[in-house]
Amino acid sequence: MEEREALQSTEEILKSLDSLKNLSQGGAAHFLLRLREIIRFHDYRYYVLNDPVIADPQYDALFALLKTLEKQYPALVTPDSPTQRITPYLVKEFPEVTHLVPMLSLDNTYNEEDLREFERRVLEKLEGEKPEYVVEIKLDGASTALLYEDDAFVRGATRGDGTVGEDVSHNIRTIKSLPLKVPLSTAGITKIEIRGEVIMPRASFEKLNREREKAGLPLFANPRNAGAGTLRLQDSSEVAKRGLDAFWYFISYTEGKSLGKDIKTHAECLSLLQKMGFKVEPNYEVCKNMDEVLKYCESWRNRIRDLPYEADGMVIKVNSIAQQMRLGATLHHPRWASAYKFQANQAVTRIKDIVIQIGRTGTLNPLALLEPVEIGGVTVSRVALFNEEEIERKDIRIGDAVLVERAGEVIPHVVRVQPELRTGKERKFVMPDYCPVCHAPVFRDPEEVAVRCINSKCPAQVKERIIHFASRVAMDIEHLGWQTVDHFVDIGLLKDVADIYKLKKETVMELERWAEKSAQNLIDAIEESKKRPLWRLIHGLGIRFIGEKAAKVLEEHISSIRDLQKINLEELSTIEGFGPRRAQSVKEFFSVKENVELINELEKAGVNIYAEKIEKKAGPLSGLTFVITGTLKNYSREEAQRLIEELGGKATDSVSTKTSYLIVGEAPGSKLDKAKKLGVKILTEEEFLTLLKGK
């Protein structure tokens, strides 16, 4: 669709939104074809070109209209509709897929000499016929193959072993820059297989790790691992939240038009992909000879890290497809292409020891102590090893000679062990069973790679625990911010959260920058926090997986925090919105002697440990329990839950036999399947609103 036509149509639709919501089925069938084309145009401008031509509210109005009409006429929903990117169920397995053409690896070169040797082999095979080359950015992501037939997306598959990969179509579809419908027929193509790289942009990676750190989950080592792991999630709605993107750079198979005959060069392939709406990495160059190739590669050496996604070099390809066919391939790599990897700042050194650092959430993080080595002008003496599983995967041992790289010229990491340099004196690392700082037993979650210290008095965690305890979402102690906590811990005034309630005005006044009034304000705020409701205390203790909402749920089921010491695992697991993971975390926390002693000290200091029992007002929804899945049209989930509670009902997050109704919005998740199995009544949003009116 041309830009002028799309903008005119957009304007016409936005002016007639109300009338368009009441189209007959016949009128809707014709209009939906046009509306989807308009939305695809705007998706292309936003997600592919990064150059939107309408504002977000206008786009949202178009998308809302599409959802409304498709909801009115479900028979008119098509698989390529922009509303159908998220699969409304969990995918239990990833079927094997045989690629139409094997996905080979690339041979690597690292310097001018290597590239000249690549050129020599090419010229020899072409019997002196000189080729052109295309030079592209070498993306560091997950290699993927797409299949389209009759203009429609059919599947997306991982590389696998190069011959057979895994079908991850349900997750590939969530990438908004990926077209679900392409104009193959206008190019005379009936079937096409396309290769590319699924990536996690740096911004998405940093956001994901921030969220995981906040939730106490292990962090991903790099965007490539995070992206590859995301592609294998069962829940595509979770994938959609992680902000994957993709670039497409190769056409491996076509029907209708012939590669080499109708489509003559690789540059034509890239141009064709762009015209069909695929996102192509824009920094590619056609070079007449190897001198131009080298010049272009070198122009990127010092600025490739400025890209918003991971890249580690360039890819050089012979431009002529006919010449590519003559050059052929080995069992491992094509002879007509080579990767030119920028040698990162690397050096070989030895691991003197592996020690443990305790993270903010109690995670035991292995740290390699190195024989100091200079890498890129910086002396590196230690490097993070992430977790026990990573150490085992790379077979890293104390005393090993290792190749260390400063990734992104900043963060050092171990690339690989050099086993040929082993002396026989190397020792395997064993994760300790006790915290090396406080000596409390560590907790191993069988579903995670992380090992944790869950002693709330562990000095390594004390600052972060106190900061969380005093925060607005927990005990809300004004004047006790992170800078104050940091200073008070360093000078020995605070060793755990109980010490907050031992602070004296006279002691604080003696400190630099503290006057009588400011000290009194702090003491008053601490005294006021003793009256906080129990859920704030539970949340403030920093129990893994127990956030604000879960803490409130717990308070409803207990009379005192002491009950959490006695309640059994089975009973905890049956609390609505809980489940075994949260239940296990609570039991683990209260099984640690130091944590129980902390509760004793808080109670002794006068902190409220009792639940406030408030009788709920009777309302039209009294006695009914609701769960919401999917996206609602008229309310956010929080607004709907608040409405339910205001009318006397109960809103929870998990479906159980006690659930009265499941309210289903757009793109519902696995809760719908569970509700059906349990025989829970299911309501559309409209039926829910009707229920409210009837009540």
Side-chain angles (χ1 to χ4, degrees):
M1 178 175 281
E2 295 294 328
E3 180 177 341
R4 186 174 180 180
E5 179 188 353
L7 290 175
Q8 286 178 342
S9 297
T10 298
E11 188 176 352
E12 291 169 5
I13 292 170
L14 292 174
K15 286 179 179 177
S16 310
L17 279 176
D18 291 337
S19 60
L20 290 170
K21 291 176 183 177
N22 300 312
L23 289 172
S24 65
Q25 183 160 348
H30 176 75
F31 175 71
L32 281 171
L33 295 174
R34 179 180 167 215
L35 180 57
R36 290 183 189 120
E37 280 299 308
I38 293 167
I39 291 175
R40 289 188 193 106
F41 167 82
H42 290 301
D43 282 345
Y44 176 72
R45 293 298 305 230
Y46 188 93
Y47 295 108
V48 179
L49 299 184
N50 195 26
D51 183 25
V53 289
I54 60 172
D56 288 351
Q58 292 174 307
Y59 177 87
D60 293 342
L62 294 176
F63 202 87
L65 177 60
L66 176 63
K67 290 200 296 185
T68 297
L69 290 174
E70 287 185 342
K71 195 163 190 176
Q72 287 177 11
Y73 305 110
L76 299 180
V77 179
T78 59
D80 60 15
S81 173
T83 63
Q84 301 303 298
R85 288 192 178 273
I86 296 176
T87 306
Y89 51 83
L90 292 185
V91 174
K92 303 295 185 183
E93 57 184 25
F94 302 89
E96 289 189 343
V97 170
T98 301
H99 302 301
L100 300 184
V101 177
M103 294 182 72
L104 302 179
S105 299
L106 286 174
D107 199 19
N108 290 326
T109 59
Y110 295 94
N111 50 48
E112 179 177 348
E113 184 181 349
D114 291 345
L115 269 183
R116 295 290 186 190
E117 176 58 24
F118 164 69
E119 180 189 35
R120 186 195 64 75
R121 294 193 301 267
V122 167
L123 292 173
E124 183 180 356
K125 279 283 185 182
L126 294 178
E127 298 178 344
E129 183 181 316
K130 293 186 178 180
E132 279 187 338
Y133 299 98
V134 176
V135 185
E136 305 167 51
I137 300 292
K138 184 180 181 297
L139 300 162
D140 192 14
S143 297
T144 309
L146 304 179
L147 181 63
Y148 287 79
E149 196 165 3
D150 298 327
D151 293 359
F153 172 78
V154 176
R155 71 168 185 236
T158 62
R159 179 181 179 275
D161 63 7
T163 301
V164 177
E166 291 182 317
D167 189 331
V168 289
S169 302
H170 68 295
N171 288 335
I172 291 284
R173 292 175 65 92
T174 67
I175 299 173
K176 292 188 176 180
S177 65
L178 178 79
L180 299 180
K181 184 177 182 180
V182 293
L184 292 177
S185 52
T186 59
I189 298 172
T190 57
K191 188 174 185 178
I192 192 169
E193 187 181 64
I194 297 165
R195 304 281 167 78
E197 209 86 355
V198 173
I199 61 166
M200 181 172 283
R202 288 198 181 105
S204 298
F205 172 71
E206 290 163 4
K207 179 185 175 188
L208 175 61
N209 263 354
R210 283 197 302 270
E211 291 170 348
R212 291 178 70 82
E213 183 179 21
K214 190 175 179 181
L217 298 173
L219 305 187
F220 284 109
N222 53 60
R224 187 185 187 282
N225 289 0
T230 298
L231 275 182
R232 300 197 77 259
L233 293 178
Q234 294 180 335
D235 187 351
S236 64
S237 65
E238 182 61 31
V239 176
K241 296 174 187 174
R242 292 194 178 185
L244 292 180
D245 205 347
F247 288 104
W248 309 98
Y249 50 67
F250 184 59
I251 298 175
S252 55
Y253 178 87
T254 58
E255 290 182 10
K257 271 197 174 180
S258 173
L259 289 170
K261 184 178 178 183
D262 301 312
I263 305 171
K264 293 180 168 49
T265 68
H266 178 62
E268 286 180 41
C269 289
L270 295 176
S271 178
L272 179 61
L273 289 173
Q274 287 175 308
K275 287 177 182 176
M276 289 193 295
F278 291 95
K279 194 169 188 176
V280 172
E281 213 293 325
N283 299 293
Y284 67 88
E285 185 93 350
V286 178
C287 299
K288 294 178 181 178
N289 52 53
M290 189 54 65
D291 289 337
E292 289 187 7
V293 168
L294 282 161
K295 184 178 179 181
Y296 189 66
C297 287
E298 288 306 311
S299 74
W300 274 99
R301 181 179 292 277
N302 295 322
R303 58 191 178 108
I304 198 164
R305 298 293 182 185
D306 295 334
L307 293 170
Y309 32 84
E310 294 291 303
D312 58 359
M314 314 297 284
V315 177
I316 296 94
K317 299 173 183 173
V318 170
N319 193 21
S320 166
I321 294 175
Q323 289 179 339
Q324 290 180 8
M325 292 175 174
R326 284 164 57 192
L327 288 163
T330 69
L331 292 174
H332 174 263
H333 62 267
R335 295 191 180 94
W336 46 266
S338 179
Y340 181 61
K341 299 191 77 171
F342 296 138
Q343 279 190 300
N345 289 325
Q346 296 178 334
V348 175
T349 186
R350 282 196 181 273
I351 295 178
K352 296 192 297 182
D353 199 0
I354 297 176
V355 298
I356 294 296
Q357 280 190 327
I358 308 299
R360 181 180 68 83
T361 59
T363 307
L364 274 65
N365 300 315
L367 181 77
L369 303 182
L370 309 173
E371 291 180 358
V373 62
E374 186 175 304
I375 306 177
V378 176
T379 300
V380 176
S381 59
R382 51 179 56 199
V383 60
L385 298 178
F386 300 109
N387 54 57
E388 193 174 18
E389 188 177 89
E390 181 78 355
I391 293 172
E392 291 176 0
R393 185 179 70 82
K394 291 183 176 178
D395 190 23
I396 298 172
R397 304 179 189 183
I398 298 168
D400 262 334
V402 291
L403 180 66
V404 178
E405 172 180 303
R406 285 182 63 218
E409 301 181 354
V410 179
I411 306 169
H413 71 281
V414 173
V415 178
R416 62 178 177 273
V417 169
Q418 303 209 313
E420 67 276 9
L421 298 180
R422 280 179 174 160
T423 64
K425 296 181 180 180
E426 293 78 16
R427 310 189 319 273
K428 287 198 171 185
F429 169 77
V430 178
M431 186 68 80
D433 293 323
Y434 295 87
C435 173
V437 177
C438 70
H439 310 296
V442 299
F443 171 63
R444 297 171 185 269
D445 189 331
E447 296 184 4
E448 295 183 9
V449 296
V451 177
R452 286 185 169 80
C453 170
I454 55 174
N455 172 16
S456 62
K457 288 190 175 183
C458 178
Q461 305 169 56
V462 66
K463 285 184 182 179
E464 290 294 338
R465 287 188 177 277
I466 293 173
I467 289 167
H468 172 71
F469 185 88
S471 67
R472 289 187 178 183
V473 294
M475 295 298 280
D476 193 15
I477 304 177
E478 200 174 351
H479 311 297
L480 193 60
W482 69 268
Q483 288 177 314
T484 301
V485 171
D486 192 60
H487 181 54
F488 281 15
V489 172
D490 285 346
I491 63 175
L493 272 183
L494 297 179
K495 297 183 181 65
D496 61 26
V497 297
D499 284 343
I500 294 172
Y501 298 96
K502 298 173 186 175
L503 289 173
K504 303 295 182 184
K505 174 183 170 182
E506 294 73 22
T507 306
V508 176
M509 282 175 57
E510 292 175 1
L511 302 176
E512 188 179 354
R513 296 182 182 178
W514 285 87
E516 181 178 1
K517 185 174 182 181
S518 56
Q520 187 62 57
N521 287 339
L522 174 61
I523 299 303
D524 289 345
I526 292 171
E527 193 64 27
E528 184 65 25
S529 73
K530 294 178 181 180
K531 306 171 189 176
R532 302 281 185 250
L534 178 58
W535 70 263
R536 284 186 172 273
L537 174 60
I538 295 171
H539 185 211
L541 291 172
I543 305 169
R544 286 189 73 223
F545 309 124
I546 305 301
E548 180 180 335
K549 189 165 186 177
K552 289 178 179 178
V553 171
L554 276 177
E555 183 178 16
E556 291 180 4
H557 288 80
I558 58 176
S559 59
S560 160
I561 201 168
R562 297 293 183 193
D563 294 344
L564 296 180
Q565 296 171 231
K566 308 168 189 174
I567 193 169
N568 62 49
L569 189 62
E570 185 179 357
E571 188 177 349
L572 268 173
S573 300
T574 58
I575 294 176
E576 287 188 71
F578 243 61
R581 187 174 69 165
R582 282 176 172 163
Q584 182 66 42
S585 182
V586 171
K587 290 305 295 179
E588 288 289 342
F589 183 87
F590 284 96
S591 69
V592 176
K593 182 181 70 174
E594 290 83 355
N595 295 343
V596 175
E597 290 174 354
L598 173 64
I599 301 298
N600 293 340
E601 289 186 54
L602 290 172
E603 183 182 18
K604 188 177 178 181
V607 176
N608 172 50
I609 66 165
Y610 297 98
E612 186 180 6
K613 294 301 177 184
I614 301 174
E615 285 190 25
K616 286 192 174 182
K617 294 179 182 179
L621 300 183
S622 293
L624 299 178
T625 300
F626 294 82
V627 176
I628 301 169
T629 183
T631 303
L632 302 181
K633 182 171 57 176
N634 296 290
Y635 303 96
S636 68
R637 185 169 299 193
E638 291 73 21
E639 288 171 340
Q641 289 175 336
R642 197 180 307 121
L643 176 62
I644 290 166
E645 289 170 356
E646 285 174 358
L647 295 174
K650 186 176 181 182
T652 66
D653 289 330
S654 299
V655 175
S656 71
T657 53
K658 296 179 181 178
T659 304
S660 309
Y661 294 101
L662 175 69
I663 303 168
V664 179
E666 295 289 342
S670 58
K671 294 174 185 175
L672 179 58
D673 293 333
K674 187 172 181 180
K676 288 178 179 177
K677 287 180 183 177
L678 295 176
V680 173
K681 294 177 182 177
I682 296 168
L683 298 177
T684 64
E685 184 176 356
E686 287 74 14
E687 289 170 335
F688 169 62
L689 295 175
T690 301
L691 175 68
L692 295 182
K693 291 175 184 176
K695 291 284 183 177

